Amino acid sequence: MKDQSTEENILKAAISVFQKKGMAGARMQEIADEAKINKAMLHYYYKSKQKLFEAVFRQAFEKFAPHINQVFNSDKSVFEKITEFTDSYISFVMENPYLPNFLIQEINNNPEFADLFFGSEIAPNPFRFKKQIAEEIEMGILKPIDPKQLLLNLFSLTAFSFVGTGLVCGILNLDERKFKSMMEERKILIPELLINSIKK
Amino acid sequence: MKDQSTEENILKAAISVFQKKGMAGARMQEIADEAKINKAMLHYYYKSKQKLFEAVFRQAFEKFAPHINQVFNSDKSVFEKITEFTDSYISFVMENPYLPNFLIQEINNNPEFADLFFGSEIAPNPFRFKKQIAEEIEMGILKPIDPKQLLLNLFSLTAFSFVGTGLVCGILNLDERKFKSMMEERKILIPELLINSIKK
DNA sequence: GTCTATAGCCAGATAGAC
DNA sequence: GTCTATCTGGCTATAGAC
C-alpha cells in the first residue's frame, strides 16, 4: 500500500476521481489532493488532463475486457459461461462499483476515441461465441436463439443495477444493505432465468 | 414548432444540451446557440445554470415517472403490465434516447437533490404492485417471486441497452440500423422471457 | 425583452526556485 | 523530482445601452 512511486500514486488517485466524476466533472486539484501531492506533479508525469484521463480509461478498459473475453473465448459450455460470468462479474463490480458506469459514459461521450479500443487486440470479439451457440443449437442443447440477444440480456441483467444504482434504489426504496443483498441473490437468479429461457 | 415563447425555446434547447452532456459537461453558450438567442437571455429567464438545470431535470423526471407508475398503479394483470411496459418504454426511449441516461447520471451525482423527487407525490411508489404480486401468487397465477427482483429484471432488460449504447454496440459490433432492429425484437423477447420465468 | 461588453472566478498549464 | 507562484483561457454571470 505504501512505497509506491509517485506516478503510481497519481494514477491511482486519478482512477478514483475520474471514475466517480467523469472527464468533465473531475478536477486536477482533487486528484492532487487525493494523491497527497502537488498539482504541478500531475503535469510533470502526465503532461495534461486529457493524457491522464486516457491512462485511466485504458486501465479501466483492460480491467473490464477479460470478463467479457471469458465468455467469448473460454472452452466452457454456454450454461457454465452464463453462471460463471454472472458470479464473477457481480463480485468484481461490487469491488469496483464506478467502473462500468465510467466506461459507459466516456464511450458514449467520445465514440471516436472508444473505437480506438474496440479496434484493438484486447477488444472482445464475439466470433467464437456465435459459433459455439450455433453448435449447441445443432446439438439440441439450446433452443434456436440469437446469440446477440442472449449476450444483451446477460449484460443488461448483471450491469444495469450498478449503472443505475441511484435510480434503482430510489424507485425500489432500497438502502445500501438491501441493495447488496439483492445483488448477492442475483448471482443465482440471473443464471436460472437465462438458462431456463434457452435450454431445449 | 415556431411561435414559441423565448422561455420555451430556451428550455427546449437546454433539455437537448443537458441530456447529452450532463450538468458538468454542458455549456451555457451551447444552449444559447441551440436556441438561437443571446447567452444573456438564459440568465434573464432562468437566473443561473443550476436553476436551468433543475428545470430540465424536473421535466425529465415528470416525463419518465408515468411509465413506472403505469406498472405500479394500473389495474392490469402482471403479465399485461410487463408486456405493455416493455413496448411503450422501448418506443418512448427510441424517441428520447438520452433521457434514461441523463436521469441516472444526475441522480448518481446528486443523491440529496434526487431525494427531493423520490420524496414527492409524482414519485413512483411500489406499494400496490407488491400487493398485486402477492395476490397473484396466492391465486396460483405466479410462482413465489420477489417483486423487487422482477422489477429490477424488467428495468434492466429494457433500459440497459439505451444507457450503455456505445459499449453494447462496440462489444456486439452493431451499427445504428442493427441496434434499432434488435430493440424492436426485444419488445417481444423481453415479455416472453420474463413471463415464462414467473408463470406457474 | 434583447443585445454588447465586461467583470470575476476557476481550472488547466507552465516557469522557475530549490 | 517537488514545490510556489503565476499565466492564460474559458465559462458563468451581470451591468447597462437600446
Side-chain angles (χ1 to χ4, degrees):
Chain A
M1 197 59 77
K2 55 183 186 171
D3 273 3
Q4 291 174 115
S5 74
T6 304
E7 190 170 349
E8 284 167 341
N9 251 324
I10 291 174
L11 185 60
K12 209 166 161 182
I15 289 168
S16 162
V17 175
F18 273 123
Q19 287 194 5
K20 274 180 221 158
K21 308 279 177 82
M23 174 63 180
R27 293 291 165 258
M28 294 296 266
Q29 185 61 60
E30 194 181 348
I31 296 173
D33 292 347
E34 177 110 1
K36 295 196 180 67
I37 48 124
N38 191 280
K39 193 169 61 125
M41 298 307 290
L42 302 180
H43 291 93
Y44 177 78
Y45 283 100
Y46 287 91
K47 197 71 191 163
S48 69
K49 185 184 181 185
Q50 179 65 28
K51 289 262 192 298
L52 182 52
F53 168 78
E54 285 169 18
V56 170
F57 185 89
R58 175 169 307 107
Q59 189 271 358
F61 195 88
E62 283 169 4
K63 212 167 161 188
F64 174 77
H67 290 268
I68 307 293
N69 281 323
Q70 171 191 345
V71 174
F72 283 175
N73 297 327
S74 90
D75 290 324
K76 303 283 176 70
S77 74
V78 172
F79 294 167
E80 283 170 325
K81 283 177 174 181
I82 290 171
T83 306
E84 288 175 14
F85 172 82
T86 304
D87 189 286
S88 75
Y89 183 80
I90 290 179
S91 296
F92 168 70
V93 181
M94 301 233 279
E95 300 296 314
N96 302 269
Y98 295 102
L99 198 142
N101 199 32
F102 169 75
L103 282 177
I104 284 173
Q105 295 320 312
E106 302 306 331
I107 289 172
N108 283 341
N109 292 338
N110 318 292
E112 64 302 330
F113 172 66
D115 284 342
L116 239 134
F117 287 87
F118 287 122
S120 77
E121 309 136 15
I122 53 164
N125 182 333
F127 177 75
R128 273 188 64 184
F129 185 75
K130 277 166 80 171
K131 198 166 140 250
Q132 178 181 24
I133 294 278
E135 287 164 2
E136 294 200 12
I137 292 170
E138 181 71 21
M139 290 163 69
I141 300 171
L142 299 180
K143 290 183 191 165
I145 53 159
D146 176 353
K148 294 192 174 182
Q149 293 283 6
L150 173 62
L151 289 167
L152 197 43
N153 290 340
L154 179 61
F155 299 151
S156 299
L157 289 166
T158 46
F160 181 74
S161 311
F162 297 99
V163 176
T165 312
L167 184 64
V168 164
C169 290
I171 291 179
L172 300 184
N173 245 312
L174 304 173
D175 58 25
E176 200 184 320
R177 199 188 50 78
K178 278 192 217 149
F179 177 80
K180 282 187 181 165
S181 84
M182 279 189 71
M183 292 309 113
E184 284 299 331
E185 283 175 38
R186 287 176 83 68
K187 290 183 181 175
I188 310 295
L189 291 176
I190 292 170
E192 224 173 66
L193 171 59
L194 287 179
I195 291 175
N196 267 318
S197 76
I198 61 172
K199 75 151 181 263
K200 194 149 191 178
Chain B
M1 196 61 75
K2 55 183 189 172
D3 274 4
Q4 291 173 114
S5 74
T6 304
E7 191 170 348
E8 286 168 340
N9 251 323
I10 291 174
L11 186 60
K12 209 167 163 183
I15 289 168
S16 162
V17 174
F18 274 122
Q19 287 194 5
K20 274 179 222 160
K21 308 280 178 83
M23 174 63 181
R27 294 292 165 257
M28 294 297 265
Q29 185 61 60
E30 194 181 349
I31 297 173
D33 293 347
E34 176 110 1
K36 294 194 180 68
I37 49 122
N38 191 281
K39 196 170 57 130
M41 299 307 291
L42 302 179
H43 291 93
Y44 177 77
Y45 282 100
Y46 286 91
K47 197 70 192 163
S48 70
K49 184 183 180 183
Q50 180 64 30
K51 288 260 192 299
L52 182 52
F53 168 79
E54 285 169 18
V56 170
F57 185 90
R58 176 171 306 107
Q59 189 270 357
F61 194 88
E62 283 169 4
K63 213 168 160 187
F64 174 77
H67 290 268
I68 308 293
N69 281 323
Q70 171 192 344
V71 173
F72 283 175
N73 297 328
S74 89
D75 290 325
K76 303 284 176 68
S77 75
V78 172
F79 293 166
E80 283 169 327
K81 283 177 174 181
I82 290 171
T83 306
E84 287 175 15
F85 173 82
T86 304
D87 189 286
S88 75
Y89 183 80
I90 290 180
S91 295
F92 168 69
V93 181
M94 300 234 280
E95 302 294 315
N96 302 270
Y98 295 102
L99 198 144
N101 198 32
F102 169 73
L103 282 178
I104 283 173
Q105 295 320 312
E106 301 307 330
I107 288 172
N108 283 341
N109 292 337
N110 318 291
E112 65 302 331
F113 172 66
D115 284 341
L116 240 134
F117 287 87
F118 288 122
S120 76
E121 310 138 13
I122 53 164
N125 182 333
F127 178 75
R128 273 188 65 184
F129 185 75
K130 277 167 77 171
K131 197 164 141 254
Q132 178 181 24
I133 293 280
E135 287 164 3
E136 294 199 13
I137 292 171
E138 180 71 23
M139 291 162 69
I141 301 172
L142 299 180
K143 290 182 190 164
I145 53 159
D146 177 353
K148 293 193 174 181
Q149 293 282 7
L150 172 61
L151 288 167
L152 197 43
N153 290 340
L154 180 60
F155 299 150
S156 299
L157 290 166
T158 46
F160 180 74
S161 311
F162 297 100
V163 176
T165 313
L167 184 64
V168 163
C169 289
I171 292 179
L172 300 185
N173 244 312
L174 304 173
D175 57 24
E176 200 185 319
R177 198 188 51 78
K178 279 192 218 151
F179 178 80
K180 282 187 180 165
S181 84
M182 280 189 71
M183 292 308 114
E184 284 299 330
E185 284 174 39
R186 288 176 82 70
K187 290 183 180 174
I188 309 295
L189 292 176
I190 293 170
E192 225 172 65
L193 172 60
L194 287 178
I195 291 175
N196 267 319
S197 76
I198 61 172
K199 75 153 181 264
K200 194 152 191 173

